[in-house]
Amino acid sequence: CGQVHLLVGLTGSSVQSARRPVLFRGRHARAGLSVRLRALSAPWSGCRSIEVEAADGSTWQVLAGKEADDNDRLSTKEGRSDEPWMHVAGVPGSHVVVRRIDEKGPAAAPPDVIRKAAGIAAFYSKSKGSGKASVHRTTCGNVGKAKGAPAGQVLLKGSFEVLKVSPLDPATLHQQAKAEQEAAKAAAKSKPSTRPPGADRQSQNNRMAAKLAASVAERKLQKVEDELAALDAEIQAKASDPKASTALLQKRKELAAQREGLFKDWEVKASLLQG
């Protein structure tokens, strides 16, 4: 960590347009103002806007100034006090701010997003061609301007962190994210199973037994249903014989109770099969 440091802003470089626009608000926005996390308009022409996806699936916006005046605007006006701020140490380069745009994601930028943003800061600096670069990291609330300081030169108040990173070309972010996902899948496949030996075979046997039990219960239930259907037809045919009808109705009552019990038994066995 360090204490106070003067930084020089980037001067003169080309830029690609943002993939996703973002709405900017000053750090001194009126209290209670609802912050829009989704973009309604593109960043001003002096700011790069780069979408970064975290390993946890959340989406973040990395904002990088193009020219010295743009760095001043991003660092001291557009950046919110709690947003991560970065700049390569000792050489001219873009000021970088990390902004949350995914309202379902975490409130603080994950470490992998911070390192990617630091790599982007190194890429848009005079350290672009080096293998490693030192990047100062603090928050926008700790960035200020000394009186009379030239455009792009800011003052860091308090302590700051130094990250050692390789320059990261934003154009490669998609390929990098894809490679990380494939590596994670491969690691998950190669992870040894925690299930005891024979557990899969036992599970298969249990499922087969549950399927057989449910099938037997279903056949018993269907048999009683058929008997009830035949009994109903007989009751209708002998409706004119009170004595016969009474006996048949009693038999039907007993069969209906039996059907109810068989149905409950079938439900239990069918639920085991589904589980």
Side-chain angles (χ1 to χ4, degrees):
C1 292
Q3 290 299 319
V4 177
H5 197 77
L6 289 177
L7 300 172
V8 181
L10 179 72
T11 57
S13 64
S14 61
V15 63
Q16 296 178 350
S17 60
R19 288 182 55 201
R20 180 184 294 182
V22 65
L23 180 67
F24 291 87
R25 296 190 186 279
R27 83 171 53 150
H28 304 297
R30 175 168 51 88
L33 183 63
S34 175
V35 177
R36 301 282 297 276
L37 295 179
R38 287 299 176 187
L40 294 180
S41 60
W44 83 95
S45 60
C47 179
R48 302 175 179 87
S49 179
I50 303 152
E51 182 180 309
V52 175
E53 184 175 349
D56 63 9
S58 59
T59 305
W60 300 80
Q61 202 83 2
V62 174
L63 308 174
K66 296 181 186 178
E67 306 292 341
D69 289 338
D70 302 318
N71 282 337
D72 279 354
R73 175 175 173 177
L74 176 61
S75 299
T76 64
K77 295 180 181 179
E78 302 292 354
R80 303 178 191 127
S81 61
D82 60 342
E83 289 181 327
W85 179 97
M86 299 174 209
H87 184 279
V88 172
V91 299
S94 288
H95 294 193
V96 167
V97 172
V98 179
R99 175 155 294 172
R100 175 176 177 252
I101 60 171
D102 187 348
E103 55 187 343
K104 293 184 179 180
D112 60 318
V113 170
I114 293 296
R115 292 199 66 81
K116 287 177 181 177
I120 291 171
F123 181 80
Y124 289 120
S125 77
K126 294 294 185 181
S127 294
K128 177 179 179 180
S130 63
K132 288 285 184 179
S134 296
V135 177
H136 289 164
R137 176 203 171 186
T138 183
T139 58
C140 291
N142 289 329
V143 180
K145 291 283 293 184
K147 187 175 181 179
Q153 191 175 81
V154 294
L155 182 68
L156 301 188
K157 297 171 287 185
S159 61
F160 52 84
E161 182 182 3
V162 179
L163 303 175
K164 292 285 188 179
V165 297
S166 299
L168 175 61
D169 184 351
T172 66
L173 279 174
H174 178 70
Q175 293 89 334
Q176 183 180 10
K178 186 176 180 181
E180 290 173 354
Q181 291 173 359
E182 290 176 351
K185 289 180 181 178
K189 287 182 179 179
S190 62
K191 187 177 180 180
S193 175
T194 57
R195 292 171 63 83
D200 291 337
R201 172 69 66 179
Q202 184 62 43
S203 176
Q204 185 177 4
N205 291 342
N206 291 343
R207 185 170 180 81
M208 290 177 64
K211 186 176 181 179
L212 178 60
S215 179
V216 171
E218 185 176 1
R219 287 199 297 270
K220 288 180 179 179
L221 180 61
Q222 187 60 54
K223 182 180 178 182
V224 173
E225 291 280 4
D226 293 341
E227 290 178 8
L228 279 170
L231 191 57
D232 286 340
E234 187 177 357
I235 291 172
Q236 187 175 5
K238 296 183 178 179
S240 58
D241 185 344
K243 186 177 180 178
S245 295
T246 299
L248 290 171
L249 287 171
Q250 179 60 33
K251 184 177 180 180
R252 191 188 192 288
K253 183 178 180 181
E254 294 170 357
L255 275 175
Q258 185 180 353
R259 177 183 63 180
E260 186 66 21
L262 288 171
F263 181 75
K264 290 181 179 179
D265 182 56
W266 173 82
E267 274 191 320
V268 171
K269 289 179 170 58
S271 66
L272 291 175
L273 178 62
Q274 293 174 357

